[in-house]
Amino acid sequence: MIRINCPFCGERDHSDFTYGGDGSIVYPELDAPAEEWVEAIFQRENIRGVQTETWHHVSGCRQWLVVERDTMTHEIHSIKAAHEGVAKVLEAGK
Amino acid sequence: MSGSRLPDGGRINRSVPVEFHWDNRRVSGFKGDTLASALMAHGETIFGRSFKYHRPRGIMSAGVEESGAIVTVGRGARRDPNVKATTQEIYNGLYAKGQNAWPNVRRDLGAVNSLFSRFFSAGFYYKTFMGIPPMEWGKGTGIWMQYEKLIRKAAGMGVASREPDPDIYDHGHLFCDVLVVGSGPAGLAAAVEAAKAGLDVVLVEQDFEIGGDYLNQSNTEAEQKRAAAIAELEKHGARVMTRTTAFGLYDYGVAGLLERVTDHLSEPASHMPRQRFLTLRTRHTILATGAMERTVAFGNNDTPGIMTAAAANTYVNRFGVLPGKQIIVATNNDSAYGPALTLAKTGAEVTLLDSRTSIPGNISGLLETKGVTVKTGAAALNANGKRGISSLDLATGTHAHWTAADTQECDLLLVSGGWSPVVNLLSHRGVRPVWNTDNLCFVAPEYDEPIQMAGSACAIWGTSDCEASGQAAGAAAVAAIKGQSVSTPAPKAGGWETPIDPLYEVSVEGKHLKSFIDPQHDVTADDVRLAHQEGFVSVEHLKRYTTLGMATDQGKMGNIIGLALMAEALGKEIPQVGTTTFRPPYTPISLGALTGRGKGAHFKALRRTPMHEWNLAHGATMTEAGLWQRPWYFAREGETITEAYIRETITTRETVGLVDVTSLGKIAIQGPDATELINRVYSNAFAKLPVGKARYGIMLRDDGIVMDDGTSWRFSETDYFMTTTTAHAAKVMVFLEELLQTRWSNLKVHVTSVSEQWAGSAVAGPKSRAVLEACVADPASVSNDALPFMGVIETTLKNGVPCRIARISFSGEMAYEMYVESDYAQSMMDLLWPAAQSFDGCLYGTETLGALRIEKGHVTGVELDGRATIDDAGLGKMASEQKSYIGSALRKRPDLTRTDRPQLVGIFPKDKTEKFKAGSVLCAEDKVEGHGDGWITAVTHSPSLGHWIGLGYINGGYDQWTDQTVVAADPVRTGNTNVEIVSPHMVDPSGERMRG
């Protein structure tokens, strides 16, 4: 069982969270051409090694997190709030 | 074998006798006995019959690796099959039986199977399924089903109870710094070392007593060390758990533990769970899991009266039972000399066969002074005796070549074929063990995990070396946690004076022997060779083809021999063949423990609306909608469900009806950018929704498929109240959070789930306004001018309760949704219901909700099923072309804009007296086959039209099928019905009634 150190709640079992998906996607503008949306929504790398992904602390603080996790070992390299403003505030408070 | 209780000695409490039942006879033992030791003391030899051949089987070990004494414990609903007699503690009233035998294990008629043993060789099932050569007689599934029944009856393990499990099982969670698995010399030393350093230690032991191999030693020094370690652990606050198996190791220091709480008690207190399934999180793990002695393949090596040498030592020293009087010990290593000495001291006649030719003079000299005859270059070849060993054919030579020698009488044969360290738990972490050629066993390689191995689990054989190894492991764990460097050196693997002999099988040319390597599944040495002959070269395939190591012991005793024989057949070394992967659980876990309390009504969460009791009190029959309990219909006395919903539908269309809509999802959307958010997530225009108005909206997914529909009510410039469907409430909330936190963090808006804060009722029908006027404090506030179609107000009820009302309609009638804070739900209903009654109104449930919306062609989750586009659902007009929103780009993908896609339609029966069912396939009249052209999502009897109607999808939609006969095909239920395709808006298509 993966343990995720939520920046808001502390270390919790992964069963507290739901897996979001690829955290490296930069979503296009809403009026961007369909091709860009196809790229963002359907094209996924199957990464062996460190992958950036999103997790939602759905049974906790309900914050979305960006997590760097090694898909081979489950080792987590970094965790931060997905919300840019919140992440900055947390970083400044360290 | 003729076991007997020794006059003294052992750890059993002779002052506490225990009475129990074995195969319908009353037997007694002592507190501290296992079922195996107590029955052995009574001279019992046969404990069960084997899986395929019904060969008699007896005790083969003294622990969890047991493959012979597999029994059934308990009866009735508590009948528990495949319990190892060697680990089951006895208690007063224990009820145990041998298994896979009829009428009993001593006289088993199934033993006739052994006469046909040549048909039951490796791959029997696969070959039989293919038919029996040369004519492939019996090929085919039909006949196979018949064989299968016969075979199942004859073969197998115990039979589980078919009654519901009456026991309770708990789930729990533990945290610690250091988990120590195993309480032998290494485990105790490790736990003491870690506890002394101030760390939070949990020590788990699968046995009912702490001590591991200390318990098998008769000297007082061992007992003193054991007691001192236990005292030390208590002093430092370590948590020590017996009867607890660490069955698996997982990521991030998570270990799965199974604690057997009452399996040893005659009358457990009613509050006690039978077992606890514990999830433990630790920073460091020490595996002092010991090693298991393995056997050797030779003729009839499964005969009762043949066991491991260490097991005999345990029965004498721990349980005070002498397993036999005329004993032969056959070994290929030093470890069997201790047991031989133990047995000789009891006065038994002992002969020791050592397959090695040179052994140290001092050991054999010591044995000979105690009357043990030592023969070198000798091994066990074939056991004689049907119901128990009576003599042994010896072989002389070396492991390279054996010759048959004389036969020697005996009643007990002890075998030591070497030791296999228990590396199972480390393997669970993905670490592949490596072959140690000095000690002929798999050991842990170098690995990168916060786990230490200690003691004989590292192939360290001496007790004092194991203690030192444990201490070193404990120190390493402390250092790792405290961030210090490690200084304690750990002893190396080994400890025998003379190297172990690579002996896995004893056979002589020209003599056919039945040599078992996995007794629990009746896999023989010949089966392995046959598998090789038939082309199996991978050990993983060998395992599955022969079923070697796939029984309840998971190959604890037999796997290494199987590997060795496969290696020999392939002309390879064992390390080149490799080993199979150990997977959790280490020992079997009951399904009850996995389930815990989450069964029956507790299987999933139960959600009741705040007017649940009120609905029940007013005659509701409830139904499940996801996790929710919702009113289904309100039958009057003598009414069927169909009569009830038709009456409710008519009443609502004619006067007024009330329905609990609390289960709808409700989300507060607040902040300066609330409008912007709503406008981006709904497909239709929301930017100009005035304050005091609500609007119906459709949400798409990123990929352009419909996600959900609902309404949003605007209370101020910055304050919206969004409703979602019951089914998608959570999904919509999660999606909004994702958008705001991961994509649009610049938007100043906050979303809050308020589903449980508001209770709601819909008030629908021509008299709905009149009902509202009777209930609100200011009747003018709900007049047609003050509250027009799609208007929203916040007001108070007559009883002073604040409420919010929107004039929106799902039923197609003039209708309102009224919400109050959840605590006031019943008081709202107590106002609404008398008012509705004064207009001859009714209460209605989901069945009528369905009938009303089907008549109107309004969609729900069955239509918005994750495949439908907004155009498919006939709602294309709600997709704005003036703005971009979630899903607007991808909904225009070529395949989603095909005009022949399935589109929402209404369905009438051709013959208006006929009915049809949801789930039917819609087919062209001349082509009733395959997936057809569409499907029916929902049906109801329409009181407005006077016949059955349905909603569904059909390729190309209404225009394509106008005036054609279509078949609603339902071949496996009610048969086919001719139908016609109509517009989905079947009642009041212009919507005059709801604008009323």
Side-chain angles (χ1 to χ4, degrees):
Chain A
M1 175 143 45
I2 300 174
R3 303 266 294 159
I4 296 174
N5 194 7
C6 173
F8 304 97
C9 309
E11 193 180 66
R12 297 288 187 274
D13 288 349
H14 77 237
S15 50
D16 253 28
F17 300 79
T18 48
Y19 180 74
D22 190 336
S24 67
I25 303 169
V26 179
Y27 284 90
E29 292 297 318
L30 290 176
D31 57 0
E35 290 72 21
E36 283 182 38
W37 275 96
V38 166
E39 193 64 31
I41 300 303
F42 298 112
Q43 301 301 320
R44 290 286 182 278
E45 297 299 319
N46 190 10
I47 293 170
R48 183 186 195 273
V50 178
Q51 139 171 316
T52 304
E53 57 200 22
T54 57
W55 288 79
H56 186 210
H57 200 180
V58 69
S59 301
C61 57
R62 296 195 68 94
Q63 293 299 301
W64 280 84
L65 309 176
V66 177
V67 176
E68 285 183 304
R69 178 183 64 100
D70 192 315
T71 58
M72 292 299 290
T73 63
H74 288 324
E75 186 183 353
I76 288 176
H77 294 278
S78 75
I79 300 175
K80 61 173 184 155
H83 190 286
E84 283 169 10
V86 172
K88 269 187 202 143
V89 171
L90 286 177
E91 193 57 37
K94 269 186 184 167
Chain B
M1 182 170 84
S2 51
S4 55
R5 186 76 73 180
L6 291 163
D8 48 36
R11 306 183 64 84
I12 46 164
N13 189 344
R14 292 174 193 253
S15 60
V16 183
V18 174
E19 301 268 327
F20 63 99
H21 302 266
W22 166 249
D23 258 4
N24 302 324
R25 285 175 294 152
R26 292 179 73 84
V27 187
S28 66
F30 295 114
K31 191 170 163 53
D33 261 326
T34 62
L35 186 59
S37 69
L39 289 174
M40 185 190 279
H42 276 268
E44 203 69 32
T45 54
I46 303 176
F47 281 70
R49 291 280 172 161
S50 77
F51 185 61
K52 283 197 285 193
Y53 308 131
H54 287 246
R55 290 168 66 100
R57 291 285 161 76
I59 296 166
M60 296 180 168
S61 75
V64 296
E65 66 271 41
E66 181 62 28
S67 290
I70 308 288
V71 302
T72 297
V73 166
R75 51 185 152 177
R78 289 193 166 84
R79 188 173 67 201
D80 207 3
N82 307 329
V83 174
K84 298 163 187 82
T86 49
T87 59
Q88 174 65 51
E89 288 170 70
I90 56 166
Y91 53 82
N92 280 315
L94 167 71
Y95 184 90
K97 280 182 93 120
Q99 56 189 42
N100 199 27
W102 188 85
N104 61 48
V105 293
R106 294 176 301 283
R107 304 249 175 273
D108 171 33
L109 297 179
V112 69
N113 271 19
S114 63
L115 299 178
F116 301 105
S117 65
R118 71 187 192 88
F119 297 116
F120 294 151
S121 58
F124 163 71
Y125 275 69
Y126 309 110
K127 289 169 186 166
T128 313
F129 190 59
M130 298 306 292
I132 295 173
M135 306 298 285
E136 298 197 343
W137 177 83
K139 187 173 175 174
T141 318
I143 290 178
W144 168 249
M145 302 301 280
Q146 300 306 315
Y147 308 149
E148 215 254 350
K149 277 182 201 157
L150 288 170
I151 296 161
R152 281 279 166 218
K153 212 165 183 175
M157 305 285 188
V159 181
S161 170
R162 291 196 167 254
E163 295 169 50
D165 189 338
D167 289 314
I168 51 169
Y169 300 82
D170 270 344
H171 283 188
H173 298 269
L174 292 174
F175 297 81
C176 67
D177 293 326
V178 180
L179 166 69
V180 182
V181 183
S183 71
L188 280 175
V192 167
E193 191 71 19
K196 271 171 142 175
L199 296 183
D200 183 8
V201 175
V202 169
L203 172 65
V204 299
E205 169 56 59
Q206 63 191 359
D207 202 291
F208 52 91
E209 235 185 321
I210 290 292
D213 196 51
Y214 281 141
L215 304 174
N216 305 325
Q217 300 180 10
S218 60
N219 57 62
T220 50
E221 192 198 344
E223 181 54 24
Q224 282 163 2
K225 282 189 202 164
R226 191 185 82 93
I230 292 171
E232 195 78 15
L233 289 176
E234 191 169 346
K235 182 173 134 194
H236 293 287
R239 284 171 282 171
V240 176
M241 304 173 71
T242 53
R243 300 185 180 97
T244 304
T245 304
F247 61 79
L249 290 191
Y250 304 89
D251 292 303
Y252 282 72
V254 172
L257 310 181
L258 183 75
E259 183 184 7
R260 290 169 294 276
V261 182
T262 64
D263 284 351
H264 63 292
L265 300 177
S266 319
E267 285 169 12
S270 61
H271 69 275
M272 291 168 93
R274 180 184 167 209
Q275 295 173 347
R276 283 192 191 101
F277 180 101
L278 301 164
T279 306
L280 175 138
R281 292 125 184 116
T282 180
R283 298 167 74 182
H284 215 93
T285 304
I286 296 172
L287 300 177
T289 42
M292 284 179 211
E293 196 169 24
R294 55 179 188 255
T295 180
V296 172
F298 58 87
N300 297 326
N301 60 342
D302 64 327
T303 310
I306 302 179
M307 64 178 72
T308 62
N313 194 64
T314 299
Y315 287 112
V316 172
N317 284 341
R318 183 171 174 186
F319 299 108
V321 180
L322 183 60
K325 296 189 177 64
Q326 216 177 0
I327 302 165
I328 300 177
V329 183
T331 184
N332 65 343
N333 69 85
D334 290 0
S335 73
Y337 284 75
L341 193 60
T342 301
L343 290 158
K345 282 183 186 164
T346 65
E349 185 189 319
V350 182
T351 303
L352 187 140
L353 314 177
D354 196 322
S355 69
R356 300 170 297 182
T357 44
S358 70
I359 54 166
N362 56 345
I363 306 185
S364 57
L366 173 67
L367 285 184
E368 277 167 2
T369 62
K370 300 289 180 189
V372 177
T373 311
V374 178
K375 295 183 181 175
T376 58
L381 175 63
N382 185 49
N384 303 306
K386 278 225 158 84
R387 301 165 49 73
I389 189 168
S390 56
S391 67
L392 180 71
D393 301 335
L394 307 188
T396 55
T398 68
H399 70 260
H401 184 79
W402 295 107
T403 331
D406 55 335
T407 299
Q408 185 172 333
E409 283 190 8
C410 64
D411 67 352
L412 178 69
L413 172 62
L414 306 181
V415 183
S416 180
W419 290 77
S420 300
V422 177
V423 292
N424 303 46
L425 289 172
L426 187 65
S427 302
H428 296 174
R429 299 298 311 121
V431 177
R432 280 202 162 254
V434 294
W435 185 250
N436 179 306
T437 45
D438 293 337
N439 294 287
L440 301 184
C441 59
F442 281 104
V443 295
E446 294 280 319
Y447 56 88
D448 182 24
E449 289 275 338
I451 298 173
Q452 306 293 320
M453 300 283 291
S456 56
C458 307
I460 292 167
W461 308 130
T463 300
S464 55
D465 280 349
C466 284
E467 289 160 358
S469 161
Q471 196 182 356
V478 172
I481 288 171
K482 296 194 171 174
Q484 302 154 344
S485 61
V486 192
S487 57
T488 320
K492 287 196 166 50
W496 289 324
E497 287 188 35
T498 310
I500 180 172
D501 189 29
L503 179 73
Y504 303 101
E505 184 186 17
V506 182
S507 62
V508 294
E509 264 176 52
K511 191 170 165 101
H512 183 257
L513 300 171
K514 199 144 197 73
S515 310
F516 287 85
I517 52 178
D518 182 343
Q520 222 186 114
H521 261 176
D522 273 355
V523 181
T524 65
D526 282 346
D527 287 330
V528 174
R529 282 188 278 267
L530 182 66
H532 170 253
Q533 272 175 29
E534 292 178 355
F536 289 88
V537 292
S538 152
V539 61
E540 295 286 356
H541 294 161
L542 168 78
K543 168 178 167 173
R544 283 155 184 81
Y545 191 57
T546 61
T547 72
L548 167 66
M550 288 169 70
T552 65
D553 69 316
Q554 291 283 289
K556 290 187 174 67
M557 282 171 102
N559 260 6
I560 301 288
I561 313 176
L563 281 177
L565 297 185
M566 194 66 177
E568 188 186 285
L570 291 166
K572 288 183 178 174
E573 297 297 318
I574 289 177
Q576 293 171 279
V577 177
T579 181
T580 57
T581 310
F582 295 112
R583 293 190 179 87
Y586 174 64
T587 47
I589 300 176
S590 59
L591 292 173
L594 293 174
T595 308
R597 303 233 179 189
K599 60 175 187 175
H602 298 286
F603 179 67
K604 57 184 182 182
L606 169 66
R607 301 185 81 180
R608 290 181 177 135
T609 75
M611 50 186 92
H612 182 81
E613 297 300 327
W614 192 95
N615 287 322
L616 287 181
H618 290 78
T621 300
M622 305 303 281
T623 185
E624 281 183 16
L627 301 176
W628 287 100
Q629 287 280 309
R630 294 188 67 179
W632 188 7
Y633 56 92
F634 292 80
R636 287 184 182 159
E637 193 149 348
E639 256 182 355
T640 64
I641 172 175
T642 307
E643 289 162 352
Y645 91 75
I646 291 173
R647 173 184 51 76
E648 289 167 16
T649 305
I650 294 170
T651 306
T652 303
R653 293 241 186 266
E654 288 181 352
T655 62
V656 64
L658 307 176
V659 61
D660 182 353
V661 294
T662 305
S663 63
L664 293 178
K666 297 173 277 296
I667 301 171
I669 299 177
Q670 291 154 322
D673 290 324
T675 306
E676 179 64 19
L677 172 69
I678 284 186
N679 201 41
R680 288 186 194 183
V681 296
Y682 279 130
S683 67
N684 47 325
F686 264 86
K688 289 176 186 150
L689 179 69
V691 171
K693 282 284 195 178
R695 190 165 288 174
Y696 175 68
I698 305 253
M699 259 181 227
L700 306 191
R701 307 189 308 219
D702 281 321
D703 65 0
I705 299 290
V706 177
M707 179 162 75
D708 195 43
D709 65 342
T711 61
S712 279
W713 313 6
R714 190 169 196 179
F715 288 113
S716 78
E717 289 299 316
T718 58
D719 187 3
Y720 288 84
F721 179 74
M722 175 187 277
T723 67
T724 73
T725 60
T726 301
H728 291 152
K731 189 171 163 182
V732 170
M733 183 65 197
V734 165
F735 189 54
L736 294 180
E737 286 169 330
E738 180 180 5
L739 291 173
L740 289 173
Q741 292 175 37
T742 70
R743 296 194 207 173
W744 302 334
S745 57
N746 58 328
L747 288 190
K748 292 193 175 87
V749 55
H750 201 90
V751 293
T752 312
S753 169
V754 292
S755 294
E756 285 167 21
Q757 277 64 36
W758 295 96
S761 175
V763 185
K767 298 292 181 195
S768 56
R769 186 186 300 131
V771 169
L772 253 56
E773 281 167 349
C775 297
V776 294
D778 174 15
S781 69
V782 295
S783 69
N784 197 30
D785 290 338
L787 188 56
F789 182 58
M790 300 312 281
V792 170
I793 53 160
E794 286 180 288
T795 184
T796 49
L797 297 175
K798 263 185 180 165
N799 58 12
V801 172
C803 70
R804 39 178 63 175
I805 306 171
R807 187 169 156 196
I808 49 182
S809 175
F810 191 53
S811 55
E813 296 302 317
M814 178 167 72
Y816 301 83
E817 273 179 26
M818 179 191 278
Y819 290 96
V820 293
E821 286 178 40
S822 290
D823 287 349
Y824 296 113
Q826 301 211 11
S827 60
M828 170 176 71
M829 295 313 291
D830 286 338
L831 278 176
L832 287 173
W833 177 228
Q837 278 175 305
S838 69
F839 296 102
D840 296 323
C842 70
L843 299 168
Y844 67 93
T846 54
E847 200 64 23
T848 293
L849 201 67
L852 292 166
R853 71 96 187 171
I854 294 168
E855 287 185 330
K856 286 292 294 176
H858 288 164
V859 289
T860 64
V862 286
E863 286 83 25
L864 305 178
D865 60 355
R867 298 180 294 174
T869 67
I870 195 165
D871 292 300
D872 296 345
L875 298 164
K877 277 185 284 183
M878 296 191 65
S880 170
E881 298 295 335
Q882 312 302 316
K883 65 168 188 174
S884 297
Y885 49 90
I886 290 286
S888 62
L890 292 185
R891 86 175 186 88
K892 293 187 172 162
R893 282 181 283 155
D895 196 60
L896 298 189
T897 49
R898 275 177 21 234
T899 52
D900 61 346
R901 284 180 63 84
Q903 287 163 38
L904 189 76
V905 291
I907 299 150
F908 286 176
K910 272 267 171 199
D911 174 349
K912 298 289 181 287
T913 62
E914 287 196 317
K915 58 194 259 189
F916 48 88
K917 282 191 167 178
S920 301
V921 178
L922 293 172
C923 300
E925 192 180 18
D926 54 353
K927 208 178 162 196
V928 183
E929 61 185 37
H931 293 276
D933 277 292
W935 64 95
I936 297 178
T937 55
V939 297
T940 185
H941 181 270
S942 166
S944 309
L945 297 167
H947 59 81
W948 281 77
I949 59 169
L951 279 177
Y953 283 94
I954 193 161
N955 292 333
Y958 170 55
D959 297 341
Q960 290 281 315
W961 298 86
T962 320
D963 299 331
Q964 294 184 44
T965 297
V966 171
V967 176
D970 195 3
V972 295
R973 294 187 299 185
T974 46
N976 300 350
T977 312
N978 286 341
V979 298
E980 59 182 307
I981 302 301
V982 299
S983 157
H985 310 294
M986 291 171 273
V987 169
D988 186 30
S990 58
E992 282 165 21
R993 299 174 67 96
M994 65 184 178
R995 286 180 173 82

